[in-house]
Amino acid sequence: MKFLSTFSLIFIVLFSFAQTESVNYDYLENTFEGRYPLPADKRFNIVGDAFEDLAYVEIAIYKNIEKPKSQVAKASWSQNYYKSNDKYTLEIVDILEGDKAYDIEFKYYRKADETFKNLFLSEISEQVALFLKHSNTTGKKNVNWNSNPKDIKAEVENIIKAAIADIRTDETNIQFKDLSDNVLVGIEYVEQLQLSKSQVMNDANNFVVEQAIDELTKQIAFEVSNVLPNTYYILSEKKVIKQYKTEKGFHTLAIQAGYGVAWFNGGFNKFNYGHAPYAGFGIPLSKNPNRGNFIRNLSINAGVYFLNFKDVNDVEYSGPFIKRPIYVNLGYKFLKIVKFQAGAVLLEQKSNNGNYVNFNKITVRPNISLGLELDLWLGIKNNR
């Protein structure tokens, strides 16, 4: 009971003092307040001024902004969700590495009004029409596309995707996959036009082609308008901070303590085991923030049990070298500080005369344990 009470007290104290650090962003200077390094090895918030007409803010953090796949963190804020009049808060939940430099990109959006919506569709239509008109050759009898109709359709889709790439909604980015088969039919129809053979009819031929492309462009604009939601945000400004440093990382050692059980032999009907408190340390399999939480929470652990084990027959087991059982386990941390472990424990059996037997009698048995793990700081962290 006392053991459980101690665990509960530790939980309450740790969670009571857990706070998320905030960093203020200076929009005019395009830097962070005081030019202090960004927090490392932990979550943090970025707070900025929500100026007039600001509806949506997005931040992306890269190792190198020229390489989009090097993105390590992303966050967004919407006026509709947070109802803040003067400040926005971006929650950076992906951990940055210590003593590194990152490229940071801010994107500011405003709400699209009806005038812009109409203008936006008009600009897409103009880009598509220009592409279509320059992608065909009008002969004496028919029209030939420079590529096959499916490739033409794919190029039009790329134009649309590029145009809506920087549009945002409260839910997610606008999802546009492809145009309908009606557009493909329209592209194929242009090639099937029957043109006049007469040279004096060239102007009429051009008119027929342009009319067909205009109808095709209207169909494409109609499908794009159906993709756009009633409310969305348009990019109004970008700001980039190049190679901004983070704090020097923590040098820590993961110290753990808890209670474990070792299995000696027997099955469920006659389970022969021993149990004792333990203490040790853990080494994470990965500290890379780009790896998933599952990998980062796994660790290799080693330590000793404080007491010797006794089995159901009252046989006592110690361990080699330090005369206490030694464990080597694979562990997984959850709820930030709770560590579950499973692995092997090195045991040495005590003889009848009270002495320990030789190394030939050292055995390896499975063990599991549950405890707490806290990071012990090694040295002083340079925060600023």
Side-chain angles (χ1 to χ4, degrees):
M1 189 66 181
K2 182 183 294 185
F3 180 73
L4 292 176
S5 298
T6 302
F7 260 53
S8 300
L9 180 60
I10 293 175
F11 270 118
I12 292 172
V13 171
L14 286 174
F15 286 118
S16 296
F17 284 94
Q19 293 182 349
T20 303
E21 183 178 350
S22 291
V23 177
N24 292 318
Y25 170 69
D26 188 326
Y27 171 84
L28 295 177
E29 296 293 332
N30 191 31
T31 189
F32 296 99
E33 186 177 24
R35 301 184 186 274
Y36 294 134
L38 291 177
D41 302 320
K42 60 183 176 181
R43 297 183 177 190
F44 65 98
N45 295 331
I46 293 177
V47 180
D49 294 325
F51 47 81
E52 187 178 1
D53 294 334
L54 182 64
Y56 191 90
V57 183
E58 187 176 88
I59 186 175
I61 302 176
Y62 303 86
K63 290 183 177 179
N64 182 349
I65 198 170
E66 303 299 328
K67 300 177 180 179
K69 291 185 178 180
S70 71
Q71 180 179 300
V72 298
K74 188 175 183 178
S76 61
W77 170 91
S78 170
Q79 181 74 265
N80 279 353
Y81 275 1
Y82 298 100
K83 305 297 182 183
S84 173
N85 293 322
D86 57 351
K87 296 288 183 182
Y88 65 79
T89 300
L90 298 164
E91 299 177 358
I92 310 301
V93 299
D94 297 297
I95 297 172
L96 303 183
E97 295 182 79
D99 202 21
K100 299 287 184 180
Y102 293 93
D103 292 337
I104 304 166
E105 181 183 49
F106 289 88
K107 290 183 178 181
Y108 295 92
Y109 296 79
R110 60 184 175 85
K111 189 175 180 179
D113 56 23
E114 292 301 320
T115 300
F116 174 84
K117 291 178 182 179
N118 294 330
L119 179 62
F120 180 67
L121 282 174
S122 177
E123 289 178 349
I124 291 180
S125 297
E126 288 179 6
Q127 291 181 47
V128 170
L130 188 63
F131 167 76
L132 293 175
K133 289 175 182 177
H134 286 83
S135 298
N136 70 83
T137 303
T138 303
K140 293 182 178 180
K141 296 181 180 180
N142 55 15
V143 179
N144 296 312
W145 291 110
N146 298 340
S147 302
N148 68 67
K150 289 185 178 179
D151 289 341
I152 295 295
K153 177 174 175 283
E155 287 298 325
V156 172
E157 289 166 350
N158 289 335
I159 292 173
I160 295 169
K161 289 175 182 178
I164 67 176
D166 280 322
I167 287 181
R168 298 292 184 268
T169 70
D170 285 328
E171 299 298 330
T172 182
N173 298 354
I174 295 175
Q175 300 298 317
F176 173 79
K177 295 182 179 179
D178 51 31
L179 296 166
S180 72
D181 290 339
N182 291 335
V183 173
L184 181 60
V185 171
I187 296 172
E188 293 171 342
Y189 170 76
V190 174
E191 279 193 323
Q192 297 168 5
L193 292 173
Q194 297 297 316
L195 304 181
S196 170
K197 298 179 182 180
S198 173
Q199 293 295 324
V200 298
M201 291 296 292
N202 279 340
D203 289 341
N205 288 344
N206 289 335
F207 175 77
V208 171
V209 175
E210 289 179 2
Q211 188 177 40
I213 289 178
D214 286 344
E215 290 299 321
L216 179 58
T217 302
K218 289 178 182 178
Q219 173 65 28
I220 293 170
F222 173 75
E223 294 190 14
V224 173
S225 66
N226 287 337
V227 172
L228 298 175
N230 292 329
T231 301
Y232 60 88
Y233 310 118
I234 57 172
L235 182 65
S236 60
E237 186 177 9
K238 286 184 184 180
K239 281 182 173 289
V240 176
I241 305 175
K242 299 285 287 186
Q243 294 298 288
Y244 199 89
K245 296 282 289 185
T246 59
E247 299 171 331
K248 290 186 177 179
F250 288 109
H251 297 286
T252 62
L253 180 65
I255 301 299
Q256 55 196 223
Y259 211 83
V261 177
W263 175 81
F264 301 129
N265 52 55
F268 288 106
N269 294 331
K270 193 176 181 181
F271 193 65
N272 190 2
Y273 68 95
H275 54 88
Y278 71 87
F281 64 93
I283 301 175
L285 292 185
S286 176
K287 288 186 176 181
N288 188 338
N290 294 321
R291 303 295 295 273
N293 287 333
F294 180 78
I295 295 296
R296 295 207 305 268
N297 287 330
L298 285 174
S299 63
I300 300 297
N301 310 276
V304 298
Y305 284 93
F306 292 139
L307 304 176
N308 292 337
F309 292 128
K310 284 189 177 182
D311 66 10
V312 294
N313 300 315
D314 210 30
V315 176
E316 186 173 345
Y317 293 87
S318 179
F321 310 117
I322 59 174
K323 303 309 177 184
R324 286 290 184 270
I326 301 172
Y327 69 84
V328 178
N329 294 333
L330 179 66
Y332 184 80
K333 184 166 66 174
F334 57 98
L335 297 179
K336 295 186 178 181
I337 60 172
V338 180
K339 176 64 70 72
F340 173 78
Q341 301 183 48
V345 59
L346 296 177
L347 300 174
E348 188 177 19
Q349 184 178 342
K350 205 171 186 180
S351 64
N352 293 331
N353 61 13
N355 297 320
Y356 290 95
V357 298
N358 59 39
F359 285 142
N360 293 329
K361 293 297 183 180
I362 293 177
T363 58
V364 178
R365 290 290 182 266
N367 78 119
I368 59 174
S369 63
L370 184 67
L372 298 182
E373 181 176 86
L374 301 175
D375 290 329
L376 178 66
W377 294 6
L378 301 178
I380 299 175
K381 182 184 179 188
N382 182 10
N383 286 321
R384 300 300 184 194

